[in-house]
Amino acid sequence: IKVPINLTAANRSGGPPTALPGRAPLSVFGVLLLTLLALLAAATFLWNVLVLATILRVRAFHRVPHNLVASMAVSDVMVAALVMPLSLVHELAGRRWRLGRALCHVWIAFDVLCCTASIWNVTAIALDRYWSLSRHLEYTLRVRRCISNAMIALTWALSAVIALAPLLFGWGETYSEGNQECQVSQEPSYTVFSTFGAFYLPLCVVLFVYWKIYKAAKFRIGSRKSNSITPIAPERLEVKEASQQSQMVFTVRHATVTFQTDGDTWREQKEKKAVLMVGILIGVFVLCWIPFFITELINPLCSCDIPPIWKSIFLWLGYSNSFFNPLIYTAFNKNYNNAFRNLFSRQH
């Protein structure tokens, strides 16, 4: 006859420590991996707080597009401070939830809210870059400020609707006490609504916008003209455009000057850097989130049994996007690099 052992009593009596029920002891690799995830959460928090502190301290950053960057940093700070720590506790417990129903609802709501807001903030930055490149005459500072503020408000409103829908409208259940599970509602209709609203719709927008940005920048940079000046009769002054060589020919008295603009102008260099920055930002966003949202969409619809380890990998890969966002944006902006140096030099 097998007699169940009281683990608590054994531990109190001086016996060897045992693992919690339902969870195997952590291996060395598991400890290293969890340490790495904890460092990722800390680095994400500190890096985004640094961006926010810089925007608040430097007066030149109190305008667009830095308000969009600040909104993205706020969402990423919330991911690092409110979502990642509880997700790490969830991993430590063997993906079992032992913190109760109320905290489960809070965690899932903030998870969906912050991650959705982070994704839509990336989309807003891409849209702002596109309009500033393609419509720089109509897209004045006043118009840009109004549109960017509207995009920030819509970002957080849409994210709140997606996050709170299960709680407000009873759209599926996030907590199972018997199975000790805490996860996003697996109701198929909510899965389609949330995944399309949080990822697939902004994915289509950013891919279309980047294609338009690339075309606009390529057209503007490729339409440069080289200029030359050559003399003819001293009594005449002519200005004409050579159609085949894209040259502007000026004729003046007793003077011959020929010049051609071979290098990029300051604006063209800025546009190229903006196109590259947006491309890397979108590329990292897609690589980080697409595995998670593919599995999140197909799992409830086809009742597929995805191994828990892969769910954890895809989830934390998505969280890592909150670390890369400020890293990518500030790396392509010399103003942020100078502001960081000034901020640290003042501290010392």
Side-chain angles (χ1 to χ4, degrees):
I1 300 173
K2 295 183 179 180
V3 180
I5 300 174
N6 189 323
L7 296 175
T8 306
N11 289 336
R12 287 178 179 174
S13 63
T18 56
L20 290 173
R23 184 169 70 87
L26 289 174
S27 63
V28 175
F29 176 75
V31 172
L32 292 176
L33 185 60
L34 290 172
T35 303
L36 181 63
L37 296 180
L39 291 175
L40 174 64
T44 301
F45 178 81
L46 293 175
W47 190 249
N48 283 283
V49 165
L50 178 62
V51 172
L52 284 174
T54 303
I55 293 174
L56 290 175
R57 289 175 64 94
V58 180
R59 186 176 296 274
F61 291 162
H62 296 177
R63 54 185 176 84
V64 289
H66 305 290
N67 57 341
L68 295 171
V69 180
S71 178
M72 181 175 67
V74 167
S75 61
D76 291 336
V77 162
M78 293 175 66
V79 170
L82 303 176
V83 180
M84 285 185 175
L86 288 176
S87 185
L88 191 61
V89 172
H90 190 220
E91 299 294 341
L92 280 169
R95 294 189 64 85
R96 294 183 181 275
W97 189 261
R98 297 185 173 93
L99 302 178
R101 178 184 296 273
L103 194 55
C104 170
H105 288 164
V106 171
W107 175 51
I108 293 297
F110 274 111
D111 189 352
V112 178
L113 171 70
C114 301
C115 293
T116 303
S118 179
I119 291 170
W120 275 106
N121 278 316
V122 172
T123 308
I125 290 174
L127 284 169
D128 176 75
R129 288 297 182 185
Y130 167 62
W131 287 324
S132 63
L133 286 174
S134 63
R135 302 179 182 179
H136 61 280
L137 295 179
E138 301 91 344
Y139 199 51
T140 61
L141 183 62
R142 182 177 180 180
V143 173
R144 195 177 187 185
R145 185 187 301 115
C146 293
I147 292 179
S148 64
N149 289 334
M151 288 194 295
I152 291 172
L154 287 173
T155 290
W156 287 98
L158 177 61
S159 302
V161 169
I162 295 174
L164 298 177
L167 297 177
L168 297 178
F169 310 114
W171 210 346
E173 182 57 61
T174 60
Y175 177 70
S176 174
E177 185 175 2
N179 297 328
Q180 293 185 318
E181 289 182 349
C182 181
Q183 58 184 348
V184 177
S185 171
Q186 299 297 293
E187 182 71 25
S189 56
Y190 176 75
T191 297
V192 174
F193 167 74
S194 61
T195 54
F196 273 85
F199 179 74
Y200 291 107
L201 179 57
L203 174 65
C204 294
V205 172
V206 295
L207 292 180
F208 175 76
V209 163
Y210 186 69
W211 175 65
K212 298 290 286 184
I213 289 174
Y214 179 77
K215 283 185 63 179
K218 188 176 180 180
F219 173 78
R220 289 170 58 82
I221 294 171
S223 62
R224 296 198 312 264
K225 292 180 183 279
S226 59
N227 301 308
S228 64
I229 300 178
T230 56
I232 57 171
E235 294 84 6
R236 298 170 56 194
L237 175 62
E238 291 184 295
V239 179
K240 61 181 180 178
E241 185 175 349
S243 59
Q244 294 181 349
Q245 299 179 355
S246 297
Q247 294 180 341
M248 194 68 72
V249 180
F250 296 87
T251 60
V252 295
R253 182 178 180 181
H254 301 308
T256 302
V257 180
T258 302
F259 61 93
Q260 182 168 345
T261 307
D262 293 325
D264 293 336
T265 64
W266 172 83
R267 183 173 182 83
E268 288 163 355
Q269 291 177 355
K270 186 178 179 181
E271 289 177 356
K272 284 184 177 180
K273 186 174 289 188
V275 171
L276 181 61
M277 184 276 294
V278 173
I280 294 176
L281 193 69
I282 292 173
V284 172
F285 149 70
V286 172
L287 291 176
C288 287
W289 279 115
I290 201 167
F292 171 80
F293 278 100
I294 288 177
T295 57
E296 195 71 9
L297 179 61
I298 66 174
N299 190 34
L301 298 181
C302 69
S303 300
C304 303
D305 188 16
I306 299 173
I309 183 64
W310 287 108
K311 290 183 179 180
S312 297
I313 291 173
F314 294 155
L315 178 63
W316 281 90
L317 182 62
Y319 288 160
S320 70
N321 187 234
S322 294
F323 169 76
F324 290 117
N325 281 339
L327 194 66
I328 295 168
Y329 193 89
T330 56
F332 286 88
N333 195 315
K334 291 182 179 180
N335 295 329
Y336 277 100
N337 296 330
N338 295 333
F340 290 157
R341 282 194 292 268
N342 294 335
L343 185 64
F344 284 115
S345 62
R346 290 177 183 177
Q347 299 295 330
H348 295 290

